[in-house]
Amino acid sequence: MTLDSKVPSGPLAEKWDSHKFASKLVNPANRRKHTVIIVGTGLAGASAASSLGELGYNVLSFCIQDSPRRAHSIAAQGGINAAKNYQNDGDSIYRLFYDTIKGGDYRAREANVYRLAQVSVNIIDQCVAQGVPFAREYGGQLDNRSFGGAQVSRTFYARGQTGQQLLLGAYQSMQRQVARGQVKQFPNREMLDLVLINGQARGIIVRNLVTGQLERYVADAVCLATGGYGTAYYLSTNAVGSNVTASWRAHKRGALFANPCFTQIHPTCIPVSGEDQSKLTLMSESLRNDGRVWVPKNTGDKRRAADIPESERDYYLERKYPSFGNLVPRDVASRNAKQVCDEGRGVGETGLAVYLDFKDAIQRLGHDVVAARYGNLFEMYEKITGEDPYTVPMRMYPAIHYAMGGLWVDYNLMSNVPGLHVLGEANFSDHGANRLGASALMQGLADGYFVIPYTLAHYIAGTKVEKVTTDHDAFKEAENSVQDRINKVLAVKGTKTPRELHRQLGRLLWDDVGMARNEAGLKKALATIPKLREEFWQNVAVPGDANNLNKNLEYAGRVADYLEFAELLALDALTRTESCGGHFREESQTPEGEAQRDDAHFSHVSAWEFQGVGKTPTLHKEPLVFEEVHPSQRSYK
Amino acid sequence: MKIHLKVWRQAGPTAHGQFVNYTAENVSPHMSFLEMLDVVNEGLIRKGQEAIAFDSDCREGICGTCGFMVSGIPHGPEPHTTVCQLHMRKFKDGDALTLEPWRSKGFPVLRDLIVDRSAFDRIIQAGGYTSVNTGGAQDANAILIGRDTAEAAMDSAACIGCGACVAACKNASAALFTSAKITHLSLLPQGQVERGTRVLNMVERMDMEGFGSCSNEGECEAVCPKGISLRNIATMNREYWKAILSS
Amino acid sequence: MRALRMLSSSVGTKVILAFTGLSLFGFLLVHLYGNLLAFLGPATYNEHAHALISNPLIIPAEIGLLALFLIHVFKATANYLNNRGARPDGYRMKKWAGGASRKSVGSSTMIWTGLATLLFVAVHLKTFKYGAVYTSVGAGGTEERDLYRLFVEVFQQPVWVISYVVSMILVGLHLRHGISSSMQSLGIMPDTRTALVLRTGLVLAVVIAGLFAILPVVVFFGLVR
Ligand SMILES: Cc1cc2nc3c(=O)[nH]c(=O)nc-3n(C[C@H](O)[C@H](O)[C@H](O)COP(=O)(O)OP(=O)(O)OC[C@H]3O[C@@H](n4cnc5c(N)ncnc54)[C@H](O)[C@@H]3O)c2cc1C
Ligand code: FES
């Protein structure tokens, strides 16, 4: 199989325009004859549903939550990037493009990233028109902050609730189309299989999570916008319902999975406090603008923070990276935190935390300014930990946060399966090996509002699809296989809960396929995962039946998929013997301990083809060609 | 800590429900309320019994998925806190707690502590948006909005749609939810065009869904995890009669 | 037509309740003024009553008042029943939320204090408006109705005094929520001075109910005769 990225020719800045012009169109009167399935209602899915509905397609929209408004995107706090240059500080489409390519450690496709930067400006316009209440300056203009180590202020935000407001904007637009009859929404539905007819993606099988019934839906094309797989690690900042199921089942039907080992670890999360913890809470990256990160100089120093004198504190980020200091990119900050904790200098009960200290900021700016900037975050921190960050430094530790990897897509956001399009975090395309802060929201909305309306039209206009109904054999086959799997899970009647198994898998991945990876650990993970999977199928406990609302059954299904997916994750990490972005192989580092890329061997996308559970998947490589920027060693010194 | 729980169990929408007693042992004060329930559920599952059905997703107080009554108060006793953000350190060893689903004609019980809140989606469908299509929006800075106005709009827009307001209200009124969206959009220039029809249609829908009217008691504001103010309801009422007068 | 339908929506109903409620409150103030004239003696009191009764506008005003009253009662009852229907299956355990809540004994008994007031008004009209007609000669030499005598007579009896005082407490409770609540229902609650309005509503309720209640008491104890 050759992977054709379909990147248009011509100068970088003109590719998207010329591609749009070259794309086929669907006549407005004909659009209502075409049905599109969109799975997922996060920023990517909701924006796609509303835009395609407005254009006149029949859209069927699915999500696992009880309302589309609750998709995981709602939790994004910090903001959304756009190359508006409203601050006149030298931003431009090119700079956003450049920053994103560099931030991703030169593992993203140039043309996709450039397009992302181009449409970023339209996103802000669109959202403001919808009534998204972005922060404003006194004169009434939009306010910006600098975020995630960017040297320009290009991040738009709505308090600490940017994701919420953007999602509600998209959701409301989508509800308008629901009222107009253009979008039919199916909440409480979990996609459990993709249906292919003549090799084209033509439908899905979903389980109605309230009644337990399996349902079939047919369409001319299918879009997956089902988010990332961070919860493979059990503890992550993702919503607990996030899953890889939709992507994974599509993968099992032939869609390639690209760069699964590119996972992002966010440096500032509230540390784990106990065995029964179910998720980790992110504390916005913006805290590093004023907070100083430190640990004691001496190992095993168990004194209270206030009792450790200045001279015995190690502000290690400021020490090692004088020019970026506390604002180094996420991967660098995370790795350094792990390093100092591994050295035995971690703080708190578990020793797995570093301090993020606001004492100096409070002295310099005053309590009120700090409260105005971070008040809501401080409150949240206090709610969770019971400690007051105004007087005691916050304790922070990295946590799994985002999946750069995902289903492989071409420039049109179509996977290698004709008709199957993948949007948002579920695809692999734009962030390379590391995502910059405030870029995921941008990508989700870019895909949904401004890319898919054109590229999907091109597919529909240029493709002949057979007229079929859900009685087609392919639907029967898919539904039966889903039913079998559910029956199989219920039949085990073991004694271990899905949560226990998930927690076990998570710990394994965190230890061996986490922040720092090495060959021995990865091999160990690859040997252990199949055993865990076997244990699942021998001993999982799922009481109740399938014809009812059964949360534990849903959960078991997701864990089962993770137990298959995890192997691919580890294998990809093992195969990529370089370090890049969020993927750090201990064998590949510079003398100072920084990630060492190996462009000669790994300047490609690794796209894996499924061969069967427990069988080694086939690796396909899409070479990355850099025409505009020249990969260099990232340095934040 | 040990916590005694009296939990509403109801197998399905039409099934007969009843309270069942459970005890949560070894509860750590660091746990969130839902994690405490997770542990209770683990125990049930291991015994081959069906877990207590409750819903959650973000577990950080923003998605609005979680929510049930904790001893007579939606989301429990802690102000401005969803039940997923409520931590066990707020309780004492030996506490006895009663867990019930939201109860309202507009929110039929689906199972145990889970209710159907799709009525909220339909209220938004009735007009909780600005009718702009994708593409063709003018430059974002061409619409100037004063900082105070933007902040006030954001105050209203912060609603997470969890339904605690309905649950707390003696009339099971959805006025706080509905008015928050109406207020958010009525404050902004972008929302002016449809201002009148929006309030009329959304209120009509709210009534059709079977929610009651507002008695201005403000139990909703008191339990709202986001502290959405009763002011929104006053705004909705004003918008409403103004819309009638000008229609 | 549409406007009429909209007025019977949940919000429309509350707007009407607030409007009629505030109007009735206005009437109450006028009535109170009349009552307080009793402290100035029978002549002033009866003169004021006569001026009202003999005014040709009194009939339309009474009809209007009755209409406001009936609309208020009818709407409130319908609203109450509808609201009960919104939660067919009640909580087994329910607590007041406290904090920002404005819930009070007054707010949670509006329908009952309201219905009690309805009963009170009926009895009150029967006792006074349609009660014994005494006459006296007023300042201008015309014959007037001597309402003063009537009420002094009525309030010699402890049952009447007690039932009036109790009724006024109930009316007070109704006003305690009603005054500020109607501002909220009409959407004229000021954003920044909400607390002040709420407090003023409370003070007005106490003062007005108190002043109404005091008259029977002072009559009974012979302080006014
Ligand atoms: C705590 C937190 C803070 C963040 N902050 C920022 C930030 O400040 N800036 C930024 O740019 N990014 C941020 N991110 C990242 C960003 O929020 C996500 O990457 C982005 O929202 C993903 O959007 P999405 O539309 O691709 O998917 P999601 O929002 O994850 O939506 C997935 C959708 O798919 C549905 N779904 C999933 N599986 C199935 C299935 N099997 N069947 C049917 N439906 C399914 C779900 O119901 C949901 O509707 C943050 C992430 C987290 C966790
Ligand atoms: S689970 Fe999202 S608000 Fe509680």
Coordinates of all heavy atoms in Angstrom, one line a residue, chain A residues 39-46 62-65 68 70-81 147 162-163 167 189-192 206 225-228 237-239 241-247 279-282 284 330 401-402 423-426 435-444 558, chain B residues 57 60, ligand 1:
Chain A
V39 N -19.6 11.0 13.8 CA -19.5 10.4 15.1 C -18.6 11.3 16.0 O -17.5 11.6 15.6 CB -18.9 9.0 15.1 CG1 -19.0 8.3 16.4 CG2 -19.5 8.1 14.0
G40 N -19.2 11.8 17.0 CA -18.5 12.7 17.9 C -19.1 14.1 17.8 O -19.4 14.5 16.7
T41 N -19.2 14.7 18.9 CA -19.8 16.1 18.9 C -18.9 17.0 19.7 O -19.3 18.0 20.3 CB -21.2 16.1 19.6 OG1 -21.0 15.6 20.9 CG2 -22.1 15.2 18.8
G42 N -17.6 16.7 19.8 CA -16.7 17.7 20.3 C -16.5 18.8 19.4 O -17.3 19.0 18.4
L43 N -15.5 19.6 19.5 CA -15.3 20.8 18.6 C -15.3 20.3 17.2 O -15.9 21.0 16.3 CB -14.0 21.5 19.0 CG -14.1 22.3 20.3 CD1 -12.8 23.0 20.4 CD2 -15.2 23.3 20.2
A44 N -14.6 19.3 16.9 CA -14.5 18.8 15.5 C -15.9 18.3 15.0 O -16.3 18.8 13.9 CB -13.5 17.7 15.4
G45 N -16.5 17.4 15.7 CA -17.7 16.9 15.3 C -18.9 17.9 15.2 O -19.7 17.9 14.3
A46 N -19.0 18.7 16.3 CA -20.1 19.6 16.3 C -20.0 20.7 15.2 O -21.0 21.1 14.6 CB -20.2 20.3 17.7
F62 N -23.7 11.5 16.2 CA -23.7 10.6 17.3 C -22.7 11.0 18.4 O -21.7 11.5 18.1 CB -23.3 9.2 16.8 CG -24.2 8.7 15.7 CD1 -24.1 9.1 14.4 CD2 -25.3 7.8 16.1 CE1 -24.9 8.6 13.4 CE2 -26.1 7.3 15.1 CZ -26.0 7.7 13.8
C63 N -23.1 10.7 19.6 CA -22.1 10.9 20.7 C -22.5 10.0 21.9 O -23.6 9.5 22.0 CB -22.0 12.3 21.2 SG -23.5 12.9 22.0
I64 N -21.5 9.7 22.7 CA -21.8 8.8 23.9 C -22.4 9.5 25.0 O -23.1 8.9 25.9 CB -20.5 8.1 24.3 CG1 -19.4 9.0 24.6 CG2 -20.1 7.0 23.3 CD1 -18.2 8.4 25.2
Q65 N -22.3 10.8 25.1 CA -22.8 11.5 26.3 C -24.3 11.7 26.1 O -24.9 11.5 25.0 CB -22.2 12.9 26.4 CG -20.8 12.9 26.9 CD -19.8 12.7 25.7 OE1 -20.1 12.6 24.6 NE2 -18.5 12.7 26.1
P68 N -24.9 16.4 23.1 CA -23.7 16.7 22.4 C -22.9 17.8 23.1 O -21.7 17.8 22.9 CB -24.2 17.3 21.1 CG -25.7 17.1 21.0 CD -26.1 16.5 22.4
R70 N -21.8 17.9 26.0 CA -21.0 17.4 27.0 C -19.7 16.8 26.5 O -18.9 16.2 27.3 CB -21.7 16.5 27.9 CG -23.0 17.0 28.5 CD -23.5 16.3 29.7 NE -24.9 16.5 29.9 CZ -25.5 17.6 30.4 NH1 -24.7 18.6 30.7 NH2 -26.8 17.8 30.5
A71 N -19.4 16.8 25.2 CA -18.2 16.2 24.7 C -17.0 16.7 25.4 O -17.0 17.8 26.0 CB -18.1 16.5 23.2
H72 N -16.0 15.9 25.4 CA -14.8 16.2 26.2 C -14.2 17.6 25.9 O -13.6 18.2 26.8 CB -13.8 15.1 25.9 CG -12.4 15.4 26.2 ND1 -12.0 15.7 27.5 CD2 -11.3 15.6 25.5 CE1 -10.7 16.0 27.5 NE2 -10.2 15.9 26.3
S73 N -14.3 18.1 24.7 CA -13.8 19.4 24.4 C -14.2 20.5 25.4 O -13.5 21.5 25.6 CB -14.3 19.9 23.0 OG -13.8 19.1 22.0
I74 N -15.3 20.2 26.0 CA -15.9 21.2 27.0 C -14.9 21.5 28.1 O -14.9 22.6 28.7 CB -17.2 20.7 27.6 CG1 -18.0 21.8 28.2 CG2 -17.0 19.6 28.7 CD1 -19.3 22.1 27.5
A75 N -13.9 20.6 28.3 CA -13.0 20.8 29.5 C -11.8 21.6 29.2 O -11.1 22.0 30.1 CB -12.6 19.4 30.0
A76 N -11.6 22.0 27.9 CA -10.4 22.7 27.6 C -10.4 24.1 28.3 O -11.5 24.8 28.3 CB -10.2 22.9 26.1
Q77 N -9.3 24.5 28.9 CA -9.3 25.7 29.7 C -8.7 26.9 29.1 O -9.3 27.9 29.0 CB -8.6 25.4 31.0 CG -9.1 24.2 31.8 CD -8.2 23.8 33.0 OE1 -7.1 24.2 33.1 NE2 -8.7 22.9 33.8
G78 N -7.5 26.6 28.6 CA -6.6 27.8 28.4 C -6.9 28.7 27.2 O -6.9 29.9 27.4
G79 N -7.2 28.1 26.0 CA -7.4 29.1 25.0 C -7.3 28.4 23.6 O -7.0 27.3 23.5
I80 N -7.4 29.3 22.6 CA -7.3 28.8 21.2 C -6.4 29.8 20.4 O -6.6 31.0 20.5 CB -8.7 28.7 20.6 CG1 -8.6 28.3 19.1 CG2 -9.5 30.0 20.7 CD1 -10.0 27.9 18.5
N81 N -5.5 29.3 19.7 CA -4.6 30.1 18.9 C -5.2 30.6 17.6 O -6.0 29.9 17.0 CB -3.3 29.3 18.6 CG -2.5 29.1 19.8 OD1 -2.5 29.9 20.8 ND2 -1.6 28.1 19.8
F147 N 0.8 31.9 25.4 CA 0.5 30.6 26.0 C 1.4 29.5 25.5 O 1.9 29.6 24.4 CB -1.0 30.3 25.5 CG -1.7 29.2 26.3 CD1 -2.2 29.5 27.5 CD2 -1.8 27.9 25.8 CE1 -2.9 28.6 28.2 CE2 -2.5 27.0 26.5 CZ -3.0 27.3 27.8
T162 N -12.4 28.2 27.9 CA -12.5 28.5 26.4 C -13.1 27.3 25.7 O -13.9 27.5 24.8 CB -11.0 28.7 25.9 OG1 -10.3 29.5 26.8 CG2 -11.0 29.3 24.6
G163 N -12.7 26.1 26.1 CA -13.3 24.9 25.4 C -14.8 24.9 25.5 O -15.5 24.6 24.6
L167 N -17.2 25.1 22.4 CA -18.1 24.0 22.2 C -19.6 24.4 22.2 O -20.3 24.0 21.4 CB -17.8 22.8 23.2 CG -18.7 21.6 22.9 CD1 -18.4 21.0 21.5 CD2 -18.5 20.5 23.9
R189 N -25.3 7.2 22.2 CA -25.0 6.1 21.2 C -23.5 5.9 21.2 O -22.7 6.9 21.1 CB -25.5 6.5 19.8 CG -26.9 6.8 19.7 CD -27.8 5.6 20.0 NE -29.1 5.7 19.4 CZ -30.1 6.6 19.8 NH1 -29.8 7.4 20.8 NH2 -31.3 6.6 19.3
E190 N -23.1 4.7 21.2 CA -21.7 4.4 21.1 C -21.4 3.6 19.8 O -22.0 2.6 19.6 CB -21.2 3.5 22.3 CG -19.7 3.2 22.2 CD -19.1 2.8 23.5 OE1 -19.8 2.3 24.4 OE2 -17.9 3.0 23.6
M191 N -20.5 4.2 19.0 CA -20.2 3.5 17.7 C -19.4 2.3 18.1 O -18.3 2.4 18.7 CB -19.4 4.4 16.8 CG -18.8 3.7 15.6 SD -17.9 4.7 14.6 CE -16.9 3.5 13.7
L192 N -19.8 1.1 17.6 CA -19.1 -0.1 17.9 C -18.5 -0.8 16.6 O -17.8 -1.8 16.7 CB -19.9 -1.1 18.7 CG -20.3 -0.5 20.1 CD1 -21.2 -1.5 20.8 CD2 -19.0 -0.3 20.9
V206 N -24.2 1.2 16.1 CA -24.0 1.8 17.4 C -24.9 1.0 18.4 O -25.8 0.4 18.1 CB -24.5 3.3 17.4 CG1 -23.7 4.1 16.4 CG2 -26.0 3.4 17.1
A225 N -15.0 11.8 14.6 CA -14.4 13.0 15.4 C -14.5 12.6 16.8 O -15.1 13.2 17.7 CB -15.2 14.2 15.1
T226 N -14.0 11.4 17.1 CA -14.2 10.8 18.4 C -13.1 11.0 19.5 O -13.1 10.3 20.5 CB -14.4 9.3 18.2 OG1 -13.4 8.8 17.4 CG2 -15.7 9.0 17.5
G227 N -12.2 12.0 19.2 CA -11.3 12.4 20.2 C -10.1 11.4 20.4 O -9.9 10.5 19.6
G228 N -9.4 11.7 21.4 CA -8.1 11.0 21.6 C -8.2 9.8 22.5 O -9.2 9.5 23.1
T237 N -5.8 13.4 32.0 CA -6.7 14.6 32.2 C -7.9 14.5 31.3 O -8.8 15.4 31.4 CB -5.9 15.9 31.7 OG1 -5.6 15.8 30.3 CG2 -4.6 16.1 32.5
N238 N -8.0 13.5 30.6 CA -9.2 13.4 29.7 C -10.5 13.0 30.5 O -10.4 12.4 31.6 CB -9.0 12.3 28.6 CG -7.9 12.7 27.6 OD1 -7.2 13.7 27.9 ND2 -7.8 12.0 26.6
A239 N -11.6 13.3 29.9 CA -12.9 12.8 30.5 C -12.9 11.3 30.6 O -12.3 10.6 29.8 CB -14.0 13.3 29.6
G241 N -15.0 9.1 30.1 CA -15.6 8.4 29.0 C -14.9 8.3 27.7 O -15.2 7.6 26.8
S242 N -13.8 9.1 27.6 CA -13.0 9.1 26.4 C -12.5 7.7 26.1 O -12.3 6.9 27.0 CB -11.8 10.0 26.5 OG -12.2 11.3 26.9
N243 N -12.4 7.4 24.8 CA -12.0 6.0 24.5 C -11.4 6.0 23.1 O -11.5 6.9 22.3 CB -13.3 5.2 24.5 CG -14.3 5.6 23.5 OD1 -14.2 5.3 22.3 ND2 -15.2 6.5 23.9
V244 N -10.9 4.8 22.8 CA -10.3 4.6 21.4 C -11.2 3.8 20.6 O -10.9 3.4 19.5 CB -8.9 4.0 21.5 CG1 -9.0 2.5 21.8 CG2 -8.0 4.2 20.3
T245 N -12.3 3.4 21.2 CA -13.2 2.3 20.6 C -13.5 2.6 19.1 O -13.4 1.8 18.2 CB -14.4 2.1 21.4 OG1 -14.0 1.5 22.6 CG2 -15.4 1.2 20.8
A246 N -14.0 3.8 18.9 CA -14.5 4.1 17.5 C -13.3 4.0 16.5 O -13.4 3.4 15.5 CB -15.1 5.5 17.4
S247 N -12.2 4.7 16.9 CA -11.0 4.6 16.0 C -10.5 3.2 15.9 O -10.1 2.8 14.8 CB -9.9 5.5 16.6 OG -10.3 6.8 16.8
K279 N -9.3 10.1 37.9 CA -8.7 11.0 36.8 C -7.8 12.0 37.4 O -7.8 12.3 38.6 CB -9.8 11.7 36.0 CG -10.4 12.9 36.7 CD -11.0 13.8 35.7 CE -10.0 14.5 34.8 NZ -10.6 15.4 33.8
L280 N -7.0 12.7 36.6 CA -6.1 13.7 37.0 C -6.6 15.1 36.5 O -7.1 15.1 35.4 CB -4.7 13.4 36.5 CG -4.1 12.2 37.1 CD1 -2.8 11.8 36.5 CD2 -3.9 12.3 38.6
T281 N -6.5 16.1 37.3 CA -7.0 17.4 36.9 C -5.8 18.2 36.5 O -4.8 18.4 37.1 CB -7.8 18.0 38.0 OG1 -8.8 17.1 38.4 CG2 -8.4 19.3 37.6
L282 N -6.1 18.8 35.3 CA -5.1 19.7 34.7 C -5.2 21.0 35.4 O -6.3 21.5 35.7 CB -5.4 19.8 33.2 CG -4.6 20.8 32.4 CD1 -3.5 20.1 31.7 CD2 -5.5 21.6 31.4
S284 N -4.1 24.8 34.4 CA -3.8 25.5 33.1 C -2.3 25.8 33.1 O -1.7 26.2 34.0 CB -4.6 26.7 32.9 OG -4.0 27.5 31.8
R330 N 5.9 21.8 26.8 CA 5.3 20.8 27.7 C 6.2 19.6 27.9 O 6.4 19.1 29.0 CB 4.0 20.3 27.2 CG 2.9 21.4 27.3 CD 1.6 21.0 26.7 NE 0.7 22.1 26.9 CZ -0.6 22.0 26.5 NH1 -1.0 21.0 25.8 NH2 -1.4 23.1 26.7
H401 N -2.2 13.7 28.6 CA -3.1 14.8 28.3 C -3.7 14.8 26.9 O -4.9 15.1 26.7 CB -2.4 16.1 28.5 CG -3.1 17.3 28.2 ND1 -4.3 17.6 28.9 CD2 -2.9 18.4 27.4 CE1 -4.8 18.8 28.4 NE2 -4.0 19.2 27.5
Y402 N -2.9 14.4 26.0 CA -3.4 14.5 24.6 C -2.7 13.5 23.7 O -1.6 13.0 24.0 CB -3.0 15.9 24.1 CG -3.5 16.2 22.7 CD1 -4.7 16.7 22.4 CD2 -2.6 16.0 21.6 CE1 -5.2 17.0 21.2 CE2 -3.1 16.3 20.3 CZ -4.4 16.8 20.1 OH -4.8 17.0 18.8
L423 N -11.6 13.6 11.9 CA -11.4 15.0 12.3 C -10.9 15.1 13.8 O -11.3 14.3 14.6 CB -12.7 15.7 12.2 CG -13.3 16.1 10.8 CD1 -13.5 14.9 9.9 CD2 -14.6 16.8 10.9
G424 N -10.3 16.2 14.0 CA -10.0 16.6 15.4 C -8.9 15.7 16.0 O -8.0 15.2 15.3
E425 N -9.0 15.5 17.3 CA -7.9 14.8 18.0 C -7.8 13.3 17.5 O -6.8 12.7 17.6 CB -8.1 14.8 19.5 CG -7.0 14.3 20.3 CD -7.1 14.5 21.8 OE1 -8.0 15.3 22.2 OE2 -6.4 13.8 22.6
A426 N -8.9 12.8 16.9 CA -8.9 11.4 16.5 C -8.0 11.2 15.3 O -7.5 10.1 15.0 CB -10.3 11.0 16.1
R435 N 2.2 18.7 20.7 CA 1.2 19.7 20.4 C 1.5 20.9 21.2 O 1.7 20.8 22.4 CB -0.2 19.2 20.6 CG -1.2 20.3 20.4 CD -2.6 19.8 20.5 NE -3.0 19.4 21.9 CZ -3.3 20.3 22.9 NH1 -3.4 21.6 22.6 NH2 -3.6 19.9 24.1
L436 N 1.4 22.1 20.6 CA 1.6 23.3 21.4 C 0.3 23.7 22.1 O -0.8 23.3 21.6 CB 1.9 24.5 20.4 CG 3.3 24.4 19.8 CD1 3.5 25.6 18.9 CD2 4.4 24.4 20.9
G437 N 0.4 24.3 23.2 CA -0.8 24.7 23.9 C -1.7 25.5 23.0 O -1.3 26.3 22.2
A438 N -3.1 25.3 23.2 CA -4.1 26.1 22.5 C -4.2 25.8 21.1 O -4.8 26.6 20.3 CB -3.9 27.6 22.8
S439 N -3.6 24.7 20.6 CA -3.7 24.4 19.2 C -4.7 23.3 18.9 O -5.0 23.1 17.7 CB -2.3 23.9 18.7 OG -1.5 25.1 18.6
A440 N -5.1 22.5 19.9 CA -6.1 21.4 19.6 C -7.4 22.0 19.3 O -8.1 21.5 18.4 CB -6.1 20.5 20.8
L441 N -7.8 23.0 20.1 CA -9.1 23.6 19.8 C -9.1 24.2 18.4 O -10.1 24.1 17.7 CB -9.4 24.7 20.8 CG -9.4 24.3 22.3 CD1 -9.7 25.4 23.2 CD2 -10.4 23.1 22.5
M442 N -8.0 24.8 18.1 CA -7.9 25.4 16.7 C -8.0 24.3 15.7 O -8.8 24.5 14.7 CB -6.5 26.1 16.6 CG -6.1 26.5 15.3 SD -4.6 27.5 15.3 CE -3.3 26.3 15.7
Q443 N -7.4 23.2 15.9 CA -7.4 22.2 14.9 C -8.8 21.6 14.7 O -9.3 21.3 13.6 CB -6.4 21.1 15.2 CG -6.4 20.0 14.1 CD -6.3 18.6 14.7 OE1 -5.9 18.4 15.8 NE2 -6.8 17.6 14.0
G444 N -9.4 21.3 15.9 CA -10.8 20.7 15.8 C -11.7 21.6 15.0 O -12.5 21.1 14.2
R558 N -14.8 -0.7 26.3 CA -13.7 0.2 26.0 C -12.4 -0.3 26.5 O -11.3 -0.1 25.8 CB -14.0 1.6 26.6 CG -15.2 2.2 26.0 CD -15.7 3.5 26.7 NE -17.1 3.7 26.3 CZ -18.0 4.4 27.0 NH1 -17.6 4.9 28.2 NH2 -19.2 4.6 26.6
Chain B
D57 N -18.5 12.4 33.3 CA -17.5 12.4 32.2 C -16.3 13.1 32.6 O -15.2 12.5 32.8 CB -18.2 12.9 30.9 CG -17.4 12.3 29.7 OD1 -16.7 11.3 29.9 OD2 -17.5 12.9 28.6
E60 N -14.4 17.1 36.3 CA -13.8 18.3 36.9 C -14.7 19.5 36.9 O -14.3 20.7 36.9 CB -12.4 18.7 36.2 CG -12.4 18.7 34.7 CD -11.0 19.0 34.2 OE1 -10.1 18.0 34.3 OE2 -10.7 20.1 33.8
Ligands
LIG1 C1 -8.2 19.2 30.6 C2 -7.9 19.6 29.2 C3 -7.6 20.9 28.9 C4 -7.4 21.2 27.5 N1 -7.1 22.5 27.2 C5 -6.9 22.8 25.9 C6 -6.6 24.2 25.6 O1 -6.6 25.1 26.4 N2 -6.4 24.5 24.3 C7 -6.4 23.5 23.3 O2 -6.3 23.9 22.2 N3 -6.7 22.3 23.6 C8 -6.9 21.9 24.9 N4 -7.1 20.6 25.2 C9 -7.2 19.6 24.2 C10 -8.5 19.7 23.5 O3 -9.5 19.9 24.4 C11 -8.9 18.4 22.8 O4 -7.9 17.9 22.0 C12 -10.1 18.6 21.8 O5 -11.1 19.3 22.5 C13 -10.6 17.4 21.1 O6 -11.7 17.7 20.4 P1 -12.4 16.6 19.5 O7 -13.6 17.3 18.8 O8 -11.4 16.0 18.5 O9 -12.9 15.4 20.4 P2 -13.6 15.4 21.8 O10 -14.0 16.7 22.3 O11 -12.9 14.5 22.6 O12 -15.0 14.7 21.4 C14 -15.1 13.3 21.2 C15 -16.5 13.1 20.8 O13 -16.6 11.7 20.3 C16 -17.7 11.1 20.9 N5 -17.3 9.7 21.0 C17 -16.1 9.1 21.5 N6 -16.1 7.8 21.3 C18 -17.3 7.5 20.7 C19 -17.9 6.3 20.2 N7 -17.3 5.1 20.4 N8 -19.1 6.4 19.7 C20 -19.8 7.5 19.6 N9 -19.2 8.7 19.9 C21 -18.0 8.7 20.5 C22 -17.8 11.7 22.2 O14 -19.1 11.5 22.7 C23 -17.5 13.1 21.9 O15 -18.7 13.8 21.5 C24 -7.4 20.2 26.6 C25 -7.7 18.9 26.9 C26 -7.9 18.6 28.2 C27 -8.1 17.2 28.6

